[in-house]
């Protein structure tokens, strides 16, 4: 029985050398369309699929390989006498190797000008059918979907037919590949019809890197990115220096970027364990960083700093004096890089911050399931706020209230943020009761709390937080409102001449 290979690829990387080696190993190559032309142009003998099926391509190439002479040769168990007898009766020859990859649906999806008709034509039908049939029958043949595997497959074939474990590994890769492909198509159609929460949800990601370990050293981990990651996402960042990012680095860096996107003016954020330890805004980046650093000069040690303007030598000199895991910026000057790269382990990440592509959904795994929700990115402006107290905030208080509201959104609940003059001065994160979070923030702020404002991620169930704030000198509060006892907190604010704003929007973060 002669050896046969079926080849039909969209990605022709390494195709000609691979096919040439197969031909030298005695394989008859059967091929289609552009793949056939590439092989013949390279001087590699190949047979057209239509010559095997006796039926021409039809419907503008939509039907080429969907034929028993092809799929019978893919699906027959070659160690099964009954299957082989049926092939002989039908005049069908089996294949020993299949090399197929699919129409470039993802690449077309990335083209903003791609029309619906163009997207439809990039949905491969024959390719997945051949791949799945071959992968199902891995016990009888070798299937290759990734050009990166060509050399390894050849090494196996030169010695003997590829061993069963290799064929099984390649088959697993095929099923992952076709599932990924179909998930992108399903996602495209659900986006087209506005179906955010379909009855069955299939999400797909591409492996970006294997990590040294996960949250802790005994946990294995990897980083996956979406098929079309936004330009301003961590997945697309350009790393200029330092060790590979760790699991915790990635979580913290992503949190830092989310905080930074809240601010249009020059801003700097310092992050530890996905909470801000300091946020500052200023007329220039040096001022913004100074505010972020002075917010909590202790907790910033070993943390992450992200800024939304170019890092210059002046700022780099300040950053170099602190032990930092990561610095993220839209750009670094050459002078800044020369200073910061003197520390070989500091990770320097560069990514654009002018385009704010927002996340559509957040996914969280739970035992036995997955929670999916819209990302917390509902726009909010001063026009949406309601003052519920006798005293209105001053203009300076309004600015700090809006600053605090943007910051508290990114603090683990229960969360309290104190702010003054475009700077966080106290952050209470992750407490089981709200007044406890307020006490932590006020303890951190110390005397700076006098004349500052307070932001709370959720309503006050009772007036104790207001009373605690008043005793420390807080002059204005922003919070969602919505408690059955809102009036108690409003009355307490009026008693202490504190202005209180209700946003009507909660920002729980777990």
């Amino acid at each position: 029985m002669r050896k046969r290979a079926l080849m039909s690829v969209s990605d022709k990387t390494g195709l000609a050398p691979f096919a040439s080696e197969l031909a030298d190993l005695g394989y008859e190559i059967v091929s289609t369309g552009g793949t056939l032309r590439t092989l013949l142009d390279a001087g590699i003998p190949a047979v057209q699929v239509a010559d095997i099926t006796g039926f021409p391509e039809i419907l503008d190439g939509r039907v080429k390989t969907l034929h028993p002479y092809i799929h019978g040769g893919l699906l027959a168990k070659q160690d099964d006498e009954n299957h082989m007898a049926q092939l002989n009766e039908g005049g069908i020859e089996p294949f020993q190797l299949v090399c197929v990859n699919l129409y470039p649906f993802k690449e077309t999806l990335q083209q903003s000008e791609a029309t619906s008709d163009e997207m439809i034509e990039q949905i491969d039908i024959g390719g997945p059918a051949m791949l799945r049939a071959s992968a199902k029958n891995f016990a009888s043949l070798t299937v290759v979907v990734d050009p990166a595997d060509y050399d390894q497959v050849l090494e196996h074939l030169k010695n003997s037919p590829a061993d069963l474990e290799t064929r099984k590994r390649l088959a697993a890769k095929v099923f992952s590949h076709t599932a990924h492909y179909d998930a992108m198509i399903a996602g495209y159609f659900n986006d087209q019809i506005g179906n955010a929460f379909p009855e069955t949800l299939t999400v797909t990601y591409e492996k970006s890197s294997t990590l040294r370990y996960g949250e802790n050293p005994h946990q294995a981990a990897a980083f996956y990115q979406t098929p079309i990651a936004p330009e301003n996402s961590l997945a697309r960042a350009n790393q200029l220096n330092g060790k590979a990012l760790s699991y915790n680095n990635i979580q913290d860096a992503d949190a830092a970027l989310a905080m930074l996107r809240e601010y249009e003016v020059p801003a700097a954020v310092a992050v530890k364990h996905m909470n801000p330890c300091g946020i500052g805004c200023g007329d220039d980046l040096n001022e913004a960083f100074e505010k972020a650093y002075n917010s909590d000069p202790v907790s910033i040690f070993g943390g992450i700093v992200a800024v939304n303007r170019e890092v210059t030598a002046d700022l780099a000199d300040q950053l170099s004096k602190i032990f930092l895991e990561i610095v993220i910026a839209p750009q670094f000057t050459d002078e800044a890089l020369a200073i910061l790269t003197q520390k070989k382990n500091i990770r320097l990440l560069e990514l654009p911050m002018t385009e704010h592509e927002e996340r559509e959904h957040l996914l969280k795994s739970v035992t036995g399931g997955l929670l999916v929700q819209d990302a917390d990115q509902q726009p909010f402006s001063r026009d949406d706020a309601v003052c519920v107290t006798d005293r209105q905030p001053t203009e300076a208080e309004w600015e700090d209230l809006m600053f605090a509201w943007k910051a508290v959104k990114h603090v683990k609940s229960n969360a309290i943020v104190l702010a003054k003059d475009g700077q966080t001065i106290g952050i209470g994160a992750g407490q089981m009761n709200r007044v406890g979070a307020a006490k932590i923030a006020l303890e951190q702020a110390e005397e700076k709390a006098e004349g500052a404002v307070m932001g709370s991620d959720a309503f006050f169930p009772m007036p104790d937080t207001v009373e605690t704030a008043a005793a420390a000198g807080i002059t204005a509060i922003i919070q969602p409102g919505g408690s059955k006892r809102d009036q108690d907190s409003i009355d307490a604010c009026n008693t202490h001449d504190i202005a209180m704003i209700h946003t009507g929007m909660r920002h729980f973060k777990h």
Side-chain angles (χ1 to χ4, degrees):
M1 182 173 66
R2 63 179 173 179
K3 295 182 291 187
R4 302 171 84 215
L6 177 60
M7 308 188 81
S8 179
V9 297
S10 174
D11 179 0
K12 296 176 175 58
T13 303
L15 173 66
F18 182 50
S20 179
E21 293 269 14
L22 291 176
D24 290 344
L25 290 170
Y27 281 82
E28 178 190 55
I29 297 175
V30 179
S31 191
T32 64
T35 305
L36 178 67
R37 288 191 295 275
T38 298
L39 297 176
L40 295 178
D41 289 346
I44 301 167
V47 178
Q48 188 174 4
V49 163
D51 293 338
I52 303 296
T53 63
F55 200 90
E57 294 182 11
I58 61 172
L59 307 179
D60 299 320
R62 284 189 171 196
V63 179
K64 289 181 285 203
T65 57
L66 298 170
H67 194 282
Y69 279 8
I70 300 299
H71 283 270
L74 300 178
L75 284 164
K77 297 178 182 178
Q78 296 178 30
D79 60 353
D80 186 310
E81 291 183 3
N82 182 43
H83 278 206
M84 297 308 290
Q86 290 180 59
L87 289 192
N88 288 331
E89 184 179 344
I92 301 170
E93 292 187 62
F95 292 95
Q96 285 71 46
L97 184 138
V98 173
C99 176
V100 173
N101 55 59
L102 307 177
Y103 293 169
F105 184 86
K106 170 186 166 181
E107 290 75 10
T108 307
L109 189 59
Q110 289 175 299
Q111 300 169 11
S112 58
E113 70 278 4
T115 65
S116 177
D117 287 345
E118 288 171 330
M119 293 305 308
I120 295 297
E121 291 308 314
Q122 294 305 324
I123 298 175
D124 204 330
I125 302 300
M130 290 187 288
L131 283 172
R132 289 173 60 82
S134 304
K136 176 178 179 175
N137 200 24
F138 73 90
S140 294
L141 54 80
T142 302
V143 58
V144 192
V145 71
D146 185 354
D149 291 321
Y150 289 170
D151 289 343
Q152 183 183 10
V153 169
L154 285 171
E155 285 302 312
H156 282 278
L157 296 179
K158 285 176 182 177
N159 298 319
S160 63
D163 64 87
L164 188 62
E165 282 306 307
T166 296
R167 297 200 301 271
K168 184 183 287 188
R169 179 183 62 80
L170 292 168
K173 196 167 192 177
V174 163
F175 285 120
S176 293
H177 186 80
T178 57
H180 176 60
Y181 190 79
D182 285 339
M184 285 191 290
I185 295 169
Y188 169 76
F189 273 94
N190 281 318
D191 286 345
Q192 291 289 299
I193 64 173
N195 187 9
F197 301 101
E199 290 301 312
T200 58
L201 177 66
T202 304
V203 294
T204 186
Y205 295 87
E206 298 172 357
K207 191 174 184 179
S208 176
S209 61
T210 299
L211 304 176
R212 285 180 60 203
Y213 52 81
E215 206 157 15
N216 299 292
H218 61 275
Q219 295 171 271
F223 177 41
Y224 289 81
Q225 66 181 62
T226 55
I228 305 177
E231 287 272 348
N232 66 338
S233 67
L234 191 63
R236 298 284 295 276
N238 181 24
Q239 185 166 347
L240 305 176
N241 190 68
K243 299 184 293 185
L245 296 177
S246 70
Y247 183 96
N248 292 330
N249 287 157
I250 291 169
Q251 289 203 101
D252 286 347
D254 188 60
L257 288 171
M259 297 170 202
L260 198 59
R261 292 185 189 112
E262 298 284 350
Y263 303 98
E264 297 294 333
V265 299
V269 302
V271 173
K272 284 281 285 290
H273 301 297
M274 297 181 69
N275 278 309
C277 49
I279 301 177
C281 291
D283 294 331
D284 57 54
L285 198 55
N286 286 349
E287 180 187 358
F289 173 71
E290 184 179 359
K291 288 181 176 180
Y293 174 79
N294 288 330
S295 295
D296 188 348
V298 174
S299 296
I300 197 174
F301 181 86
I304 288 174
V305 168
V307 297
N308 62 359
R309 298 291 192 275
E310 182 180 58
V311 174
T312 62
D314 286 345
L315 180 55
D317 187 58
Q318 295 301 310
L319 293 168
S320 69
K321 296 173 182 176
I322 313 164
F323 170 59
L324 297 171
E325 288 275 337
I326 302 175
V327 178
I328 309 173
Q331 201 166 356
F332 297 82
T333 66
D334 291 342
E335 295 80 7
L337 284 175
I339 294 168
L340 292 170
T341 54
Q342 291 179 38
K343 293 186 172 184
K344 65 177 183 178
N345 289 333
I346 190 171
R347 300 158 176 92
L348 304 179
L349 303 181
E350 195 173 73
L351 73 165
M353 296 186 186
T354 52
E355 297 293 330
H356 288 180
E357 293 186 53
E358 295 179 332
R359 215 180 258 180
E360 292 186 358
H361 293 110
L362 296 178
L363 284 65
K364 183 176 179 59
S365 63
V366 296
T367 302
L370 182 75
L371 289 169
V372 182
Q373 67 170 343
D374 292 338
D376 185 6
Q377 50 198 21
Q378 184 77 17
F380 181 83
S381 71
R382 180 168 161 176
D383 292 338
D384 301 314
V386 177
C387 182
V388 294
T389 50
D390 295 338
R391 184 174 78 78
Q392 294 279 333
T394 65
E395 195 59 34
E397 287 172 335
W398 265 117
E399 290 185 14
D400 282 336
L401 287 167
M402 294 303 295
F403 172 88
W405 185 242
K406 291 176 180 179
V408 77
K409 170 182 173 180
H410 297 278
V411 180
K412 294 290 182 71
S413 299
N414 287 313
I416 294 290
V417 167
L418 307 181
K420 183 191 288 186
D421 299 329
Q423 175 188 24
T424 56
I425 59 169
I427 297 173
Q431 297 306 299
M432 282 61 73
N433 64 78
R434 194 151 302 281
V435 71
K439 288 176 180 177
I440 290 172
L442 290 165
E443 181 181 351
Q444 183 185 1
E446 297 179 326
E447 71 279 356
K448 290 184 289 186
E450 184 72 37
V453 307
M454 173 182 284
S456 174
D457 66 332
F459 63 62
F460 296 153
M462 52 194 70
D464 52 355
T465 302
V466 174
E467 296 290 350
T468 302
I474 296 296
T475 62
I477 296 173
I478 187 167
Q479 55 118 335
S483 167
K484 291 180 179 179
R485 298 183 61 183
D486 270 348
Q487 193 59 49
D488 292 347
S489 294
I490 294 170
D491 290 344
C493 282
N494 286 332
T495 298
H496 297 288
D497 198 32
I498 294 173
M500 178 177 279
I501 299 300
H502 280 184
T503 65
M505 181 186 297
R506 191 179 71 186
H507 283 311
F508 270 171
K509 182 177 173 64
H510 293 100

